[in-house]
Structures are given as structure tokens and as C-alpha cells.
Amino acid sequence: MPCKLMLIARSMPISPVVSKKRKHAGETAALTISRPELQIDGSDREFRGFVHGMLAFAARLEAVRSGFASLIGLTGIQYTILISVQHLQHQGDVSVSMIAEHLRVSGAFVTTETGKLLKLGLLTKRPDPQDGRRVCLSITRKGRDLLKRLAPTQVQVNDVLFEFMDASEFRQFRAMVDRMAACGDRAVDLLDYFAKLREGTGTFGSRLKS
């Protein structure tokens, strides 16, 4: 009986569902980039691989930051602000707006998070001598000691995280980072624009066709 069922199954035509799946598998996916510099033989396959690789690395970079922060009892952004103040104060007075510009976040957000660091005794603030409406931030001895204890772990982890780079590649990539962030800001603004179009029409892209 099982052999008879196998013979019947072999003689049956492939179902429309299966045929449809095979047909779709051979179709070419729509391009996600139009710039020829980012295509290879008219395909965006390598570009997609690049984006997905960047996303994977970004996730690990964020995980490392969160890990550093947790070792000293802070959140990721609190740790980033603290170490940013430490590095930037070598250039002079550090303001909230300077931190916001450095990290590409809003001033209000930095104000909220620095308030928490002030309460923890890791930062201090004083009036800006040039502008009484602003405050200058400084890292405290407690904050410096915290980062000093973390530094040996940072060295080991960062050496592994970026071991794929040589000196030349590091200089090239460092020169690109600010441009990457600026393009990212413009891309987010454009996406927000499309989102507003969708809210106004109810269907993505319909306004563009009119």
C-alpha cells in the first residue's frame, strides 16, 4: 500500500502553490539603491550585504557600550556623556550644547542625563563666564576614578572589537564617520517626510504619483 501511494504521488502534477513559489524565486527583487557606484553589474546584492553587516556591527558596538556602562553602574548614554566630558574638557569649557553637538543628540536630552550624573556626583556644573545663560560641565574626581578603573577593560575589549583595522584603514574610516552621521541625519529627515506623506494620504507613495 505505501508503494502504491508513492507511485500516485509521483504521477500527480505539482500544485499551483509550489509552482508559484518557484516562479517567484526566479524574479528579480526591486533595487534598494539607485547610485551606480553602489551597484555591481546592476545589482544591489553587495550593497544589501554591506548594510546588514553594518547593522550587525552597530548592534555589537551598542552591546559593548552598554557593557562598559553596566560595569560602572551607569546607562549607556550616561557613560558616553561622562567620557565625552572628560575628553572634551581638555579643549576648554564644556557646555551642554557642545556635548549635544558632539553626540548628535538634542540639548534637552543631554540636560536630562547630565542632571542624573550631577546627582551621582560624577559631574559638576558652574555658570559659563562668557554667557550667564549657559553652564559649564566638568568631571569630578569620583567620575575620573570611575573611568580610570574601567580603562583596562576598555583597552582589551576595544582592541578585539577593532582588530580588523590597520592604521591606514582607521584613518580613512575616521575621516568618513562625520560624513556618515551627516548623511544619516538627512536620510532620517527624508524618511520622516515620507511618513508625513503617508499620514496625509493613508497609502505610502500615493501622493508621489499624483
Side-chain angles (χ1 to χ4, degrees):
M1 191 69 173
C3 293
K4 186 175 181 181
L5 289 174
M6 289 178 63
L7 289 173
I8 293 173
R10 288 176 180 175
S11 65
M12 292 176 65
I14 297 176
S15 68
V17 174
V18 175
S19 298
K20 188 175 182 180
K21 286 183 178 179
R22 288 183 176 178
K23 181 180 178 181
H24 286 174
E27 292 181 356
T28 302
L31 291 175
T32 58
I33 191 79
S34 66
R35 294 184 60 201
E37 300 92 337
L38 304 181
Q39 297 179 23
I40 296 179
D41 296 328
S43 169
D44 68 347
R45 181 176 299 175
E46 290 301 316
F47 170 75
R48 295 310 315 166
F50 169 75
V51 170
H52 296 156
M54 289 279 284
L55 288 171
F57 185 76
R60 285 150 181 80
L61 189 62
E62 178 58 35
V64 167
R65 182 179 79 153
S66 297
F68 286 155
S70 66
L71 289 176
I72 56 177
L74 299 177
T75 64
I77 187 59
Q78 289 169 357
Y79 153 76
T80 300
I81 290 175
L82 185 66
I83 199 169
S84 295
V85 171
Q86 183 183 48
H87 286 284
L88 291 175
Q89 70 182 16
H90 294 296
Q91 304 172 18
D93 293 332
V94 180
S95 64
V96 168
S97 60
M98 186 184 297
I99 293 293
E101 182 179 355
H102 179 68
L103 300 180
R104 292 181 177 271
V105 295
S106 71
F109 180 65
V110 173
T111 298
T112 299
E113 295 302 325
T114 53
K116 298 173 184 177
L117 293 170
L118 289 165
K119 289 180 180 179
L120 291 171
L122 302 177
L123 291 179
T124 59
K125 66 178 181 179
R126 59 180 174 79
D128 187 332
Q130 305 297 326
D131 186 346
R133 297 170 299 177
R134 301 193 309 172
V135 296
C136 294
L137 302 170
S138 299
I139 189 169
T140 63
R141 178 175 294 278
K142 180 179 178 181
R144 288 195 299 271
D145 289 345
L146 206 61
L147 293 179
K148 187 176 182 179
R149 291 199 301 271
L150 179 63
T153 300
Q154 286 177 294
V155 169
Q156 294 183 66
V157 174
N158 284 332
D159 282 352
V160 172
L161 183 63
F162 295 100
E163 68 181 358
F164 63 91
M165 282 187 182
D166 60 24
S168 176
E169 290 170 335
F170 170 71
R171 287 191 294 270
Q172 292 176 9
F173 192 71
R174 176 63 188 92
M176 293 172 60
V177 167
D178 291 338
R179 287 184 288 147
M180 290 169 62
C183 288
D185 289 339
R186 290 166 52 205
V188 170
D189 288 343
L190 181 59
L191 194 58
D192 287 343
Y193 169 75
F194 285 133
K196 290 176 181 177
L197 287 182
R198 181 178 181 179
E199 290 174 2
T201 61
T203 304
F204 179 71
S206 61
R207 181 77 63 83
L208 300 179
K209 296 177 182 178
S210 60

